[in-house]
Amino acid sequence: MLKNKLAVVGAVILLLLIVSAIFAPQLAPYNPLEQKVIEGLNPPSAAHWFGQDKLGRDIFSRMMYGSRISIWVGLATVSISLIIGVTIGAISGYYGGFIDELFMRIVDILMAFPGILLAIAMVAVLGPGLNHVILALCLIGWVGYARLVRGQVLFLRELDYVTAARALGAKPARIIAVHLIPNLLAPVIVEATFGMAGAILAEASLSFLGLGAQPPTPSWGAMLNDGRDYLLFAPHHTTFPGLVIMLVVLGFNFVGDGLRDYFDVKRM
């Protein structure tokens, strides 16, 4: 992994993101909710590195606290989607037949809808809020893991060690949990890394539309939305949140590419 320079760059970006999220109360120079309306839209300065928003709040401090929301949404979405997708994919691939047809047709139906539009529709029905955003992203997030795991299980279930375990009387649940899932973790980990980037970007998109974290909670997407009316004469309001979203997504993609190369058996 250390030989892959882009993966190292991505790991550094993610490390900074994690440190920023964990130690935001200690590292943030200002209270992210503190308003100084008379100083609204002030440009970057020595006192306020990223400038101030329309209400005079420090953008750098708000972005540090906003990283907590992004990480929470990403981890929660990927974790729940991973559990559902791996379980359904493993069962579908191992048993086949009617169970496989049922699950895969559900997957096909969900994949037929544009993911972000389905999430917007669901959050619009349930109401704005982070929990509803996570629920909406999980609704469409598990299908990719299910298809990936099913394809891996279809191959692994025909290998000799699975046949031997079956011949020794191992039950399907034990074969799936002990013999199949541990041997397909590599591609799942890579997919989860890309899933984190997608979840963070989706959360920012929904917050930009006013469906995610509600004011005054700091969120990168909401900060972009707040600053779009001042783009011409206060570009710092949207530039810095946009750059951070881009860098974080790039960081996850770089790490995912590095993990994919690391787990590639062809290089061994």
Side-chain angles (χ1 to χ4, degrees):
M1 284 288 290
L2 294 178
K3 295 179 181 179
N4 190 325
K5 295 181 180 180
L6 289 179
V8 173
V9 171
V12 171
I13 293 174
L14 299 188
L15 180 61
L16 291 175
L17 174 69
I18 293 171
V19 170
S20 172
I22 294 176
F23 299 104
Q26 291 76 30
L27 297 178
Y30 299 94
N31 184 331
L33 304 181
E34 181 183 1
Q35 299 182 13
K36 298 179 181 178
V37 180
I38 195 172
E39 300 177 8
L41 300 179
N42 277 351
S45 62
H48 300 276
W49 295 350
F50 290 176
Q52 295 169 269
D53 66 7
K54 61 183 181 180
L55 297 177
R57 297 172 296 191
D58 182 62
I59 293 178
F60 180 73
S61 300
R62 288 181 62 78
M63 288 179 61
M64 293 191 72
Y65 276 86
S67 63
R68 291 184 156 193
I69 291 179
S70 297
I71 289 183
W72 164 242
V73 171
L75 285 176
T77 300
V78 169
S79 299
I80 297 173
S81 300
L82 199 62
I83 293 172
I84 298 173
V86 169
T87 302
I88 291 179
I91 293 174
S92 180
Y94 183 80
Y95 285 101
F98 173 76
I99 295 178
D100 184 31
E101 284 291 327
L102 176 63
F103 284 141
M104 288 304 104
R105 296 300 75 78
I106 294 175
V107 168
D108 291 339
I109 291 172
L110 290 175
M111 294 190 72
F113 293 94
I116 190 65
L117 291 182
L118 189 60
I120 290 173
M122 187 171 180
V123 175
V125 171
L126 296 176
L130 279 183
N131 291 334
H132 293 165
V133 167
I134 293 172
L135 181 61
L137 295 179
C138 289
L139 174 66
I140 58 177
W142 66 269
V143 295
Y145 300 105
R147 288 177 66 91
L148 174 64
V149 170
R150 173 184 176 270
Q152 294 290 319
V153 170
L154 287 175
F155 168 73
L156 293 174
R157 72 178 185 178
E158 304 299 332
L159 297 182
D160 291 342
Y161 72 90
V162 177
T163 304
R166 194 181 298 117
L168 290 172
K171 296 182 178 180
R174 176 176 175 80
I175 293 175
I176 292 174
V178 177
H179 299 289
L180 294 180
I181 291 181
N183 286 286
L184 53 82
L185 286 181
V188 170
I189 292 173
V190 175
E191 183 70 16
T193 306
F194 293 121
M196 281 288 295
I200 290 175
L201 194 58
E203 184 276 328
S205 301
L206 292 173
S207 294
F208 178 82
L209 297 173
L211 300 175
Q214 297 301 295
T217 304
S219 169
W220 295 343
M223 293 171 69
L224 286 174
N225 183 43
D226 291 341
R228 61 177 178 157
D229 293 333
Y230 314 101
L231 195 58
L232 294 180
F233 53 91
H236 66 276
H237 203 322
T238 54
T239 298
F240 290 110
L243 284 176
V244 168
I245 294 173
M246 181 193 72
L247 288 175
V248 169
V249 172
L250 276 178
F252 276 108
N253 285 333
F254 287 159
V255 171
D257 287 336
L259 289 173
R260 183 173 55 193
D261 294 340
Y262 177 78
F263 288 125
D264 187 5
V265 295
K266 293 179 181 179
R267 69 175 185 86
M268 300 180 180

